[in-house]
Amino acid sequence: MATIKDDNYFHHALKVMDDVCVGCTHCMAICPTQAIKIISGKAVISDNRCVDCGECARICPVDAIIVEQDDFNLIHNYKARVALIPGVFIGQFPERVETGDIYSAIKNLGFTHIYEVENTVGFILEGFEDYENQNEEGLKISPFCPAIIRLIQVSFPTLAKNIAKIKPPIDIAAQYYRHKLLKEGFKEEEIGIFYITPCAAKIASVKSPVGVKDSKIDGVINMQYLYNQVNIELRKPGLQKEYQLNQDMLSKEGVLWSLTGGEKPHHSGKSIAIDEIHNVKEFLEQLENEVFEKINFLELRACDQSCAGGLLLSGNRFLTADRLRNRAEKYPPLKDKRLYKKNTEDDIHLGDIEPRPMERLDIDINKSFKKMAHKQRLMCYLPGIDCGVCGFPDCQSLANEIVQGKAGISYCIFMQKKLVQRGLLSKESADAINARIWGENRFQKNCEKNGATNELS
Amino acid sequence: MNFGFPMRLQYMISGGDFNNAGAAASSLKKILKQLSIDSELVRKIVVALYEAEVNVVAHAYSGLINIELDHEKILIVIQDEGPGIPDIDKAMEAGFSTASEEVRSMGFGAGMGLPNIKKNTSTLSVESEVGKGTKLEMIIYLNT
């Protein structure tokens, strides 16, 4: 919408491949922020509204929505090539595959150092303790999930101030291991830290960080890619198995951290853990009205089963979560948290998280009222079927576009029919509108589509 | 044509219907979010209306909400048919409640209703007649 300039303001990792997209509208219907519209028969993602949750990519029946990633070969630009892996990566493999073997396989692929992100969970707990002591009053929302942070910024701006200002594990781990390697004698430019991402949102958070001045991560590798490569390595004969695991800081709490309920037990007072972005949305909608009793801490994750359900994970999310719960039992409880403080001088505090409300019809208050009145009148006419034939997710979204001058009421197929019947719109114009939304050839016979006969022409 | 000012909205409230307590507040919130009104003010307006709605649901038989909104202020008038408030000053005290055990067990009736409304509005006036009903008039100015 008109409030912020439209193009490339925020970096997004989700891209629609136009040549693959069939314009089926599934993504448009599921998007929690109404960020998708259809132009010329292809899905188009709005940069301002998208929160990188990946729901669109998950539901796409033809895999037309991809997650962009850095070239794996970038790692060879560095002497110290660090793979920063979230524990869910390990959780994808059946329990008979030993963690040491997985580490060895990753090392064979070219990395020199492997660290699990959750090693540094102790820092976060410590940071939180201080933070909660300094900011006693009120609700704090976990900063863990970048899709949730973005959701709050665009859809729940009043709650942006409640996001706890402690950096998430990914940033803390990157900062800690950079320090460690510097101490070991590597030069700044020799260190390349590569995060193996389970989702699109983490890529966006590295490429256009919110509340973090400069990300300490040099590249992001798609977890699917690494999973495939590791599987190939594991099947090669003579895999060297004695790789030294750098897990001395890994704890039971750390292994559980990225699963649903991983943060919740570490907060006093009433704390709630919610996963899956539509669930989170429903909850925050009610929370904004202060309908609930006092809540101290909210752990909110965009994916079902949290990171075990990440878009880029290959295994079944329930099995992955279960394996991690079993894995947690093999690690000792977190030691004295203070132990970690000595290890890093870096700041663990997040900067301000600015709300950027996307629902405003105009930044000028008078204009916003006029547009609202216009929209309300339009809604008297639009049928409220939310069919998506206009190329927008629902009738209200079409009304929004009309009041912004970006669409016309004749985009609505039902209104269009009425206008043609009354002689107010020619059949040719109507066809042209539909072609603009759905593409020239959309309404011609095509047996290539799903469920069609696929007959030879 | 100066359409758009003021915007008028009306909602009904049924006494005892806790399932729908807050429906007007969330509908108003959806509209306010689309107008260029500061998020913090939106929050205050929504909280004030929510509390008022719950009061009607918890104590009265039925109620009517009338909202008038322009670029300077929002006026919310809530008129209910109900038992009325015998001592308005007392009702304005934080923690004072006449809510039944049943209502309290549902998490309502902590005696913060009117005080919370006052805290979140620019002006609040309460008129009440015992045995007939209560009328709340609240104004929130949008230019801070």
Coordinates of all heavy atoms in Angstrom, one line a residue, chain A residues 320-380:
Chain A
T320 N 10.9 -35.6 13.6 CA 12.0 -34.7 13.9 C 12.0 -34.2 15.3 O 12.9 -34.2 16.0 CB 12.1 -33.6 12.9 OG1 12.2 -34.1 11.5 CG2 13.3 -32.7 13.1
A321 N 10.8 -33.7 15.7 CA 10.6 -33.2 17.0 C 10.8 -34.3 18.0 O 11.5 -34.1 19.1 CB 9.2 -32.6 17.2
D322 N 10.3 -35.5 17.7 CA 10.4 -36.6 18.7 C 11.9 -37.0 18.8 O 12.4 -37.2 20.0 CB 9.6 -37.8 18.2 CG 9.6 -38.9 19.2 OD1 9.1 -38.7 20.3 OD2 10.2 -40.0 18.8
R323 N 12.6 -37.0 17.7 CA 14.1 -37.4 17.8 C 14.8 -36.4 18.6 O 15.7 -36.7 19.4 CB 14.7 -37.5 16.4 CG 14.2 -38.7 15.6 CD 15.0 -38.8 14.3 NE 14.2 -39.6 13.3 CZ 13.7 -39.1 12.2 NH1 13.9 -37.8 11.9 NH2 13.1 -39.9 11.4
L324 N 14.5 -35.1 18.5 CA 15.2 -34.1 19.3 C 14.9 -34.2 20.7 O 15.7 -34.0 21.6 CB 14.9 -32.7 18.7 CG 15.5 -32.3 17.4 CD1 15.0 -31.0 16.9 CD2 17.0 -32.3 17.5
R325 N 13.7 -34.6 21.1 CA 13.3 -34.8 22.5 C 14.1 -35.9 23.0 O 14.6 -35.9 24.2 CB 11.8 -35.0 22.6 CG 11.0 -33.8 22.3 CD 9.7 -33.7 23.0 NE 9.2 -32.3 22.9 CZ 8.6 -31.8 21.9 NH1 8.2 -32.6 20.9 NH2 8.2 -30.5 21.8
N326 N 14.3 -37.0 22.3 CA 15.1 -38.1 22.7 C 16.6 -37.7 22.8 O 17.3 -38.1 23.7 CB 15.0 -39.3 21.7 CG 13.6 -39.9 21.8 OD1 12.9 -39.8 22.8 ND2 13.3 -40.6 20.7
R327 N 17.0 -36.9 21.8 CA 18.4 -36.4 21.8 C 18.7 -35.6 23.1 O 19.8 -35.7 23.7 CB 18.7 -35.6 20.6 CG 20.1 -35.2 20.4 CD 20.3 -34.4 19.2 NE 21.7 -34.1 19.0 CZ 22.2 -33.0 18.6 NH1 21.4 -32.0 18.3 NH2 23.5 -32.8 18.5
A328 N 17.7 -34.8 23.5 CA 17.9 -33.9 24.6 C 18.3 -34.7 25.9 O 19.1 -34.2 26.7 CB 16.6 -33.1 24.9
E329 N 17.7 -35.9 26.0 CA 18.0 -36.7 27.2 C 19.4 -37.1 27.3 O 19.9 -37.4 28.4 CB 17.1 -38.0 27.1 CG 15.6 -37.7 27.2 CD 15.3 -36.9 28.5 OE1 15.8 -37.2 29.6 OE2 14.5 -35.9 28.3
K330 N 20.2 -37.0 26.2 CA 21.6 -37.5 26.2 C 22.5 -36.3 26.6 O 23.7 -36.5 26.8 CB 22.0 -37.9 24.8 CG 21.2 -39.2 24.4 CD 21.6 -39.6 23.0 CE 20.7 -40.7 22.5 NZ 20.4 -40.5 21.0
Y331 N 22.0 -35.1 26.8 CA 22.8 -34.0 27.1 C 22.6 -33.5 28.6 O 21.5 -33.7 29.1 CB 22.6 -32.8 26.2 CG 23.2 -33.2 24.8 CD1 22.5 -33.9 23.9 CD2 24.5 -32.8 24.5 CE1 23.0 -34.2 22.6 CE2 25.1 -33.1 23.3 CZ 24.3 -33.9 22.3 OH 24.9 -34.2 21.1
P332 N 23.6 -33.0 29.2 CA 23.5 -32.6 30.6 C 22.6 -31.3 30.7 O 22.6 -30.6 29.7 CB 24.9 -32.3 31.1 CG 25.6 -31.9 29.8 CD 25.0 -32.7 28.7
P333 N 22.0 -31.1 31.9 CA 21.3 -29.8 32.0 C 22.3 -28.6 31.9 O 23.5 -28.8 32.1 CB 20.7 -29.9 33.4 CG 21.1 -31.2 34.0 CD 22.0 -31.9 33.1
L334 N 21.8 -27.5 31.6 CA 22.6 -26.3 31.5 C 23.4 -26.0 32.7 O 22.8 -26.1 33.8 CB 21.6 -25.1 31.2 CG 22.2 -23.9 30.6 CD1 22.6 -24.2 29.1 CD2 21.1 -22.8 30.6
K335 N 24.7 -25.8 32.5 CA 25.5 -25.5 33.7 C 25.3 -24.0 34.2 O 24.5 -23.3 33.6 CB 27.0 -25.7 33.3 CG 27.4 -27.1 33.3 CD 28.8 -27.3 32.9 CE 28.9 -28.3 31.8 NZ 29.9 -28.0 30.7
D336 N 26.0 -23.6 35.1 CA 25.9 -22.2 35.6 C 26.0 -21.3 34.4 O 27.0 -21.2 33.7 CB 27.0 -22.0 36.6 CG 27.0 -20.5 37.1 OD1 25.9 -19.9 36.9 OD2 28.0 -20.1 37.7
K337 N 24.9 -20.5 34.2 CA 24.8 -19.7 33.1 C 25.9 -18.6 33.0 O 26.4 -18.2 32.0 CB 23.4 -19.0 33.0 CG 22.4 -19.9 32.5 CD 21.0 -19.3 32.8 CE 20.4 -20.0 34.0 NZ 19.2 -19.3 34.5
R338 N 26.3 -18.2 34.2 CA 27.3 -17.1 34.3 C 28.6 -17.5 33.6 O 29.4 -16.7 33.3 CB 27.6 -16.8 35.8 CG 26.4 -16.3 36.5 CD 26.1 -14.9 36.1 NE 24.6 -14.7 36.1 CZ 24.0 -13.6 35.7 NH1 24.7 -12.6 35.2 NH2 22.7 -13.5 35.8
L339 N 28.8 -18.8 33.5 CA 30.0 -19.3 32.9 C 30.2 -18.7 31.5 O 31.4 -18.5 31.0 CB 29.8 -20.8 32.7 CG 31.0 -21.8 32.9 CD1 30.5 -23.0 33.6 CD2 31.6 -22.1 31.6
Y340 N 29.1 -18.5 30.8 CA 29.3 -18.0 29.4 C 29.6 -16.6 29.3 O 30.2 -16.2 28.3 CB 27.9 -18.3 28.7 CG 27.5 -19.7 28.7 CD1 26.3 -20.1 29.4 CD2 28.3 -20.7 28.1 CE1 25.9 -21.4 29.4 CE2 27.9 -22.0 28.2 CZ 26.7 -22.4 28.8 OH 26.3 -23.7 28.8
K341 N 29.3 -15.8 30.3 CA 29.5 -14.4 30.2 C 30.9 -14.0 29.9 O 31.2 -13.1 29.1 CB 29.0 -13.7 31.5 CG 28.8 -12.2 31.3 CD 27.9 -11.6 32.4 CE 27.3 -10.3 32.0 NZ 26.3 -9.9 32.9
K342 N 31.8 -14.7 30.5 CA 33.2 -14.4 30.3 C 33.7 -14.6 28.8 O 34.7 -14.0 28.4 CB 34.1 -15.4 31.1 CG 33.8 -15.3 32.6 CD 34.8 -16.3 33.3 CE 34.1 -17.4 33.9 NZ 34.3 -18.6 34.3
N343 N 32.9 -15.4 28.1 CA 33.4 -15.7 26.8 C 33.1 -14.7 25.6 O 33.7 -14.8 24.6 CB 32.7 -17.1 26.3 CG 33.3 -18.2 27.1 OD1 34.5 -18.3 27.2 ND2 32.4 -19.1 27.6
T344 N 32.3 -13.8 25.9 CA 32.0 -12.8 24.8 C 31.8 -11.4 25.4 O 31.2 -11.2 26.4 CB 30.8 -13.2 24.0 OG1 30.5 -12.2 23.1 CG2 29.6 -13.5 24.9
E345 N 32.3 -10.5 24.6 CA 32.1 -9.1 25.0 C 31.0 -8.5 24.2 O 30.5 -7.4 24.4 CB 33.3 -8.2 24.9 CG 34.2 -8.1 26.1 CD 35.1 -9.3 26.3 OE1 36.1 -9.3 25.5 OE2 34.9 -10.1 27.1
D346 N 30.5 -9.2 23.2 CA 29.5 -8.6 22.3 C 28.2 -8.3 22.9 O 27.8 -9.0 23.9 CB 29.3 -9.6 21.1 CG 30.2 -9.3 19.9 OD1 30.5 -8.1 19.8 OD2 30.6 -10.3 19.2
D347 N 27.6 -7.4 22.3 CA 26.3 -7.0 22.8 C 25.2 -8.0 22.5 O 25.2 -8.5 21.3 CB 25.9 -5.7 22.1 CG 24.6 -5.1 22.7 OD1 24.3 -5.5 23.8 OD2 24.0 -4.2 22.0
I348 N 24.4 -8.4 23.4 CA 23.4 -9.4 23.1 C 22.0 -8.7 23.0 O 21.0 -9.4 22.9 CB 23.3 -10.5 24.1 CG1 23.0 -10.0 25.5 CG2 24.6 -11.2 24.1 CD1 22.6 -11.2 26.4
H349 N 22.0 -7.4 23.0 CA 20.7 -6.7 23.0 C 20.2 -6.3 21.6 O 21.0 -5.9 20.8 CB 20.7 -5.5 23.9 CG 20.8 -5.9 25.3 ND1 22.1 -5.8 26.0 CD2 19.9 -6.3 26.2 CE1 21.9 -6.2 27.2 NE2 20.6 -6.6 27.4
L350 N 19.0 -6.5 21.3 CA 18.4 -6.1 20.1 C 18.1 -4.6 20.1 O 17.7 -4.1 21.1 CB 17.0 -6.9 19.9 CG 16.9 -8.1 19.1 CD1 15.5 -8.5 19.0 CD2 17.5 -8.0 17.7
G351 N 18.1 -4.0 18.9 CA 17.7 -2.6 18.8 C 16.2 -2.5 18.8 O 15.5 -3.6 18.9
D352 N 15.7 -1.3 18.5 CA 14.2 -1.1 18.5 C 13.6 -1.9 17.3 O 14.2 -1.9 16.2 CB 13.9 0.3 18.4 CG 14.0 1.0 19.7 OD1 14.0 0.3 20.7 OD2 14.1 2.2 19.8
I353 N 12.4 -2.4 17.5 CA 11.7 -3.0 16.4 C 10.6 -2.1 16.0 O 9.6 -2.0 16.8 CB 11.3 -4.4 16.8 CG1 12.5 -5.3 16.9 CG2 10.3 -5.0 15.8 CD1 12.4 -6.6 17.7
E354 N 10.7 -1.5 14.9 CA 9.7 -0.5 14.5 C 8.5 -1.1 13.9 O 8.5 -2.0 13.1 CB 10.3 0.4 13.4 CG 11.5 1.3 13.8 CD 11.1 2.3 14.9 OE1 9.9 2.7 14.9 OE2 12.0 2.6 15.7
P355 N 7.3 -0.7 14.4 CA 6.1 -1.2 13.7 C 6.0 -0.6 12.3 O 6.5 0.5 12.0 CB 4.9 -0.6 14.5 CG 5.5 0.4 15.5 CD 7.0 0.3 15.4
R356 N 5.5 -1.4 11.4 CA 5.3 -0.8 10.0 C 3.9 -1.3 9.5 O 3.8 -2.2 8.7 CB 6.4 -1.1 9.1 CG 7.0 -2.5 9.1 CD 8.1 -2.7 8.2 NE 8.6 -4.1 8.1 CZ 8.1 -5.0 7.2 NH1 7.2 -4.6 6.3 NH2 8.6 -6.2 7.3
P357 N 2.9 -0.7 10.1 CA 1.5 -1.1 9.9 C 1.2 -1.1 8.4 O 1.4 -0.1 7.7 CB 0.6 -0.2 10.7 CG 1.5 1.0 11.0 CD 2.9 0.5 11.0
M358 N 0.6 -2.2 7.9 CA 0.4 -2.3 6.4 C -1.1 -2.2 6.1 O -1.5 -2.3 5.0 CB 0.9 -3.6 5.9 CG 2.4 -3.7 5.7 SD 2.8 -2.4 4.5 CE 4.1 -1.6 5.5
E359 N -1.9 -2.0 7.2 CA -3.3 -2.0 6.9 C -3.9 -0.6 6.6 O -5.0 -0.4 6.3 CB -4.1 -2.7 8.0 CG -3.9 -4.2 7.9 CD -4.3 -5.0 9.2 OE1 -5.3 -4.7 9.7 OE2 -3.5 -5.9 9.5
R360 N -3.1 0.4 6.8 CA -3.5 1.8 6.7 C -3.9 2.1 5.2 O -3.1 1.8 4.3 CB -2.4 2.8 7.1 CG -2.3 2.8 8.6 CD -1.3 3.8 9.1 NE -1.3 3.7 10.5 CZ -0.5 4.4 11.2 NH1 0.5 5.2 10.7 NH2 -0.5 4.4 12.5
L361 N -5.0 2.8 5.0 CA -5.4 3.1 3.7 C -4.6 4.3 3.1 O -4.5 4.5 1.9 CB -6.9 3.4 3.6 CG -7.8 2.1 3.9 CD1 -9.2 2.5 4.1 CD2 -7.6 1.1 2.8
D362 N -4.2 5.2 4.1 CA -3.4 6.4 3.7 C -2.6 6.9 4.9 O -3.1 6.7 6.0 CB -4.3 7.4 3.1 CG -3.6 8.4 2.2 OD1 -2.7 9.2 2.7 OD2 -3.9 8.3 1.0
I363 N -1.5 7.5 4.6 CA -0.8 8.1 5.8 C -1.4 9.4 6.3 O -1.3 9.7 7.4 CB 0.7 8.3 5.6 CG1 1.0 8.8 4.1 CG2 1.6 7.1 5.9 CD1 2.4 9.3 3.9
D364 N -2.2 10.1 5.4 CA -2.9 11.3 5.8 C -4.2 10.9 6.4 O -5.0 10.1 5.8 CB -3.1 12.1 4.5 CG -3.9 13.4 4.9 OD1 -3.2 14.4 5.2 OD2 -5.1 13.4 4.8
I365 N -4.5 11.4 7.6 CA -5.6 11.0 8.3 C -6.9 11.3 7.6 O -7.9 10.5 7.5 CB -5.6 11.5 9.8 CG1 -6.8 10.8 10.6 CG2 -5.7 13.0 9.9 CD1 -6.5 10.8 12.1
N366 N -7.0 12.5 7.0 CA -8.2 12.9 6.3 C -8.5 12.0 5.1 O -9.6 11.5 4.9 CB -8.2 14.3 5.8 CG -8.3 15.3 7.0 OD1 -9.1 15.1 7.9 ND2 -7.3 16.2 7.1
K367 N -7.4 11.7 4.4 CA -7.5 10.9 3.2 C -7.9 9.4 3.6 O -8.6 8.8 3.0 CB -6.2 10.9 2.4 CG -6.0 12.1 1.6 CD -4.7 12.0 0.8 CE -4.5 13.4 0.1 NZ -3.0 13.5 -0.3
S368 N -7.3 9.0 4.8 CA -7.6 7.6 5.2 C -9.1 7.5 5.5 O -9.7 6.5 5.2 CB -6.7 7.2 6.4 OG -7.1 7.9 7.6
F369 N -9.7 8.6 6.1 CA -11.1 8.5 6.4 C -12.0 8.4 5.1 O -12.9 7.7 5.0 CB -11.6 9.7 7.2 CG -11.5 9.5 8.7 CD1 -10.3 9.6 9.3 CD2 -12.6 9.2 9.4 CE1 -10.2 9.4 10.7 CE2 -12.6 9.0 10.8 CZ -11.4 9.1 11.4
K370 N -11.6 9.3 4.1 CA -12.3 9.3 2.9 C -12.2 7.9 2.2 O -13.2 7.4 1.7 CB -11.8 10.4 2.0 CG -12.3 11.7 2.4 CD -11.9 12.9 1.5 CE -12.4 14.2 2.1 NZ -11.6 15.3 1.6
K371 N -11.0 7.4 2.2 CA -10.8 6.1 1.5 C -11.6 5.0 2.3 O -12.2 4.1 1.7 CB -9.3 5.7 1.5 CG -8.6 6.5 0.4 CD -7.1 6.2 0.3 CE -6.5 7.0 -0.8 NZ -5.0 6.8 -0.8
M372 N -11.7 5.1 3.6 CA -12.4 4.2 4.4 C -13.9 4.2 4.0 O -14.6 3.2 3.8 CB -12.2 4.5 5.9 CG -12.8 3.4 6.8 SD -11.8 1.9 6.7 CE -13.1 0.7 7.1
A373 N -14.4 5.5 3.9 CA -15.8 5.6 3.5 C -16.1 5.1 2.2 O -17.1 4.4 1.9 CB -16.2 7.1 3.6
H374 N -15.2 5.3 1.2 CA -15.3 4.8 -0.1 C -15.3 3.3 -0.1 O -16.1 2.6 -0.7 CB -14.1 5.3 -0.9 CG -14.1 5.0 -2.4 ND1 -13.1 5.2 -3.2 CD2 -15.1 4.4 -3.1 CE1 -13.4 4.8 -4.5 NE2 -14.6 4.3 -4.4
K375 N -14.4 2.7 0.7 CA -14.3 1.3 0.8 C -15.6 0.7 1.4 O -16.1 -0.4 0.9 CB -13.1 0.9 1.7 CG -12.9 -0.6 1.9 CD -11.8 -0.9 2.9 CE -11.9 -2.4 3.2 NZ -10.9 -2.8 4.2
Q376 N -16.1 1.3 2.4 CA -17.3 0.8 3.0 C -18.5 0.8 2.0 O -19.3 -0.1 2.0 CB -17.7 1.6 4.3 CG -16.8 1.3 5.4 CD -17.1 2.1 6.7 OE1 -17.4 3.3 6.6 NE2 -16.9 1.5 7.8
R377 N -18.5 1.8 1.1 CA -19.6 1.9 0.1 C -19.4 0.7 -0.9 O -20.3 0.1 -1.3 CB -19.6 3.2 -0.6 CG -20.4 4.3 0.2 CD -20.6 5.5 -0.6 NE -19.3 5.9 -1.2 CZ -19.2 6.5 -2.4 NH1 -20.3 6.8 -3.1 NH2 -18.0 6.9 -2.8
L378 N -18.1 0.5 -1.3 CA -17.8 -0.5 -2.2 C -18.2 -1.9 -1.7 O -18.8 -2.7 -2.4 CB -16.3 -0.6 -2.5 CG -15.8 0.5 -3.4 CD1 -14.2 0.6 -3.4 CD2 -16.2 0.3 -4.9
M379 N -18.0 -2.1 -0.4 CA -18.3 -3.4 0.2 C -19.8 -3.6 0.2 O -20.3 -4.8 0.3 CB -17.8 -3.5 1.6 CG -16.2 -3.6 1.7 SD -15.6 -5.0 0.7 CE -16.3 -6.4 1.5
C380 N -20.6 -2.6 0.1 CA -22.1 -2.8 -0.1 C -22.4 -3.5 -1.4 O -23.4 -4.2 -1.5 CB -22.8 -1.5 -0.1 SG -22.6 -0.5 1.4

